[in-house]
Amino acid sequence: MKLFRIKPEYFQKFSAAMVAYSLFVILWGAFVRISNSGDGCGKSWPLCHNSIIPSTKHLPTWIEYGHRLTSGIYGILILFLVITAFASFPKKHFVRKIAVASGVLTITEALLGARLVLAGLVGANASIERAVTMSIHLINSLFLVAVLVLLYDWSKERIYKVKFSEFKAKTISFSAVITFLVIGTSGTIAALSTTLFPAESLLSGVLADFSKSSHFLVRVRITHPLSATFLGVVLITLTYLAYIKSKDECLKFRTTVLMGLIPAGIGIGYSTLFLLSPLFLKLLHLSWAYFIWTGLILCISRAIQLNFQVIPQDCGVE
């Protein structure tokens, strides 16, 4: 294990790089859906058309294959991350526990991706099962990114055990997380609806949203901009109540950034809606959602550190 032992500051940088790579893989997965390339490798998994490297010039196949390849590399990197966490930190250290969680969530992430492919929940499939599976997939991805963010923020600490039951701001923090997950899942369904049932104009799209003859995915997509606006305000309020009054400058800074990211995200969302969801804005909207999520997790992480008085003076990598 000594071979994999690295300094905490290098482990922190590695964790930060994994957060960035996670976003890259997630965006590529979104592009697979948007480009209707989810069935590009057929129903074979993890191989592509039962081959390690497909022999075809069919573009959707290569788009899907590229996503599987980057996801495979991601799994190898997570395995290395877990090994280095156990090699670099002592027994019962909090980082070890989070690293194990990242490994488990990576496995469930792969299984959910396999489920979408093997069950045919790709391409033009507009079933409830696909919407539910994609929503679970999103939640799993969010928690995977969250534990990687925690690895980044805790890899310089020397605390061995954390009792979250003693976390003073846990109720508000839990409420903020649930609020974001509701926004995220409604966004997943809206994104699927927009991909499968694109509107020719803003007016026709709104009319379809309220038409009883429309597909259920079309009729529920209007809930995302409405809920995102309302719950976004709720999220800002919760963040303000929980963290902004802290005397810790790092937490106040993170909170201020988060409170700026949320309205900007809402603005990007409405721009995506009014411009009929161009590819660039779809990917930017998804990216921004993960920026907000990362900011929220960093705020919660810092609040926990303050609660246990195990924080360094800096707010990031020295």
Side-chain angles (χ1 to χ4, degrees):
M1 294 292 284
K2 290 184 179 180
L3 178 63
F4 297 96
R5 185 175 298 168
I6 59 177
K7 294 181 179 180
E9 55 266 31
Y10 293 137
F11 184 86
Q12 186 183 45
K13 292 178 180 179
F14 182 32
S15 300
M18 284 304 299
V19 173
Y21 187 60
S22 297
L23 180 58
F24 170 73
V25 175
I26 289 167
L27 289 177
W28 196 321
F31 180 67
V32 169
R33 170 183 53 78
I34 295 169
S35 61
N36 288 315
S37 302
D39 57 352
C41 288
K43 288 190 176 183
S44 60
W45 187 94
L47 300 178
C48 186
H49 291 302
N50 296 313
S51 302
I52 297 177
I53 301 177
S55 56
T56 179
K57 294 182 179 179
H58 190 50
L59 182 59
T61 296
W62 286 106
I63 293 174
E64 168 63 8
Y65 179 74
H67 180 54
R68 294 191 186 188
L69 183 62
T70 54
S71 298
I73 295 172
Y74 185 88
I76 295 172
L77 291 174
I78 288 292
L79 177 61
F80 181 75
L81 185 73
V82 174
I83 294 173
T84 54
F86 274 78
S88 306
F89 295 89
K91 293 181 179 180
K92 297 184 180 180
H93 196 287
F94 188 43
V95 164
R96 283 190 171 195
K97 297 178 182 179
I98 311 174
V100 171
S102 72
V104 172
L105 288 167
T106 299
I107 293 173
T108 55
E109 186 81 350
L111 293 175
L112 286 167
R115 172 64 183 171
L116 286 169
V117 172
L118 297 177
L121 305 178
V122 292
N125 186 293
S127 65
I128 296 178
E129 183 182 2
R130 183 181 185 183
V132 171
T133 305
M134 285 185 61
S135 296
I136 297 173
H137 203 356
L138 171 77
I139 293 173
N140 192 89
S141 298
L142 287 170
F143 279 118
L144 177 54
V145 170
V147 297
L148 291 173
V149 172
L150 289 175
L151 280 175
Y152 159 79
D153 212 33
W154 284 81
S155 54
K156 292 174 69 175
E157 311 305 336
R158 289 294 175 259
I159 188 168
Y160 286 80
K161 188 175 183 181
V162 175
K163 295 180 180 179
F164 287 100
S165 59
E166 298 177 3
F167 178 36
K168 295 178 181 178
K170 61 181 179 295
T171 301
I172 295 180
S173 298
F174 179 78
S175 299
V177 168
I178 294 300
T179 298
F180 186 89
L181 292 179
V182 171
I183 297 173
T185 51
S186 68
T188 297
I189 296 173
L192 176 61
S193 174
T194 302
T195 299
L196 297 178
F197 307 99
E200 295 182 358
S201 66
L202 180 61
L203 178 59
S204 65
V206 172
L207 292 175
D209 292 345
F210 292 96
S211 174
K212 293 182 179 180
S213 61
S214 296
H215 191 276
F216 83 94
L217 285 176
V218 176
R219 286 185 278 118
V220 300
R221 68 184 176 189
I222 192 63
T223 60
H224 177 60
L226 298 178
S227 64
T229 303
F230 173 73
L231 293 177
V233 175
V234 172
L235 190 58
I236 292 176
T237 304
L238 290 172
T239 302
Y240 177 83
L241 292 174
Y243 313 124
I244 196 67
K245 295 181 180 180
S246 171
K247 295 180 180 180
D248 180 67
E249 291 300 322
C250 179
L251 181 54
K252 290 176 68 175
F253 172 75
R254 290 181 178 183
T255 302
T256 302
V257 172
L258 175 59
M259 293 175 67
L261 287 172
I262 295 171
I266 295 174
I268 293 172
Y270 276 104
S271 297
T272 305
L273 173 65
F274 293 145
L275 295 175
L276 301 180
S277 302
L279 174 62
F280 170 73
L281 282 179
K282 281 184 178 180
L283 297 180
L284 178 62
H285 189 32
L286 179 60
S287 300
W288 210 270
Y290 276 89
F291 294 158
I292 294 172
W293 175 249
T294 299
L296 176 60
I297 298 302
L298 283 172
C299 286
I300 295 174
S301 174
R302 188 69 174 188
I304 296 173
Q305 291 172 344
L306 286 169
N307 189 65
F308 288 93
Q309 299 180 344
V310 292
I311 57 173
Q313 293 300 314
D314 68 299
C315 198
V317 181
E318 291 181 345

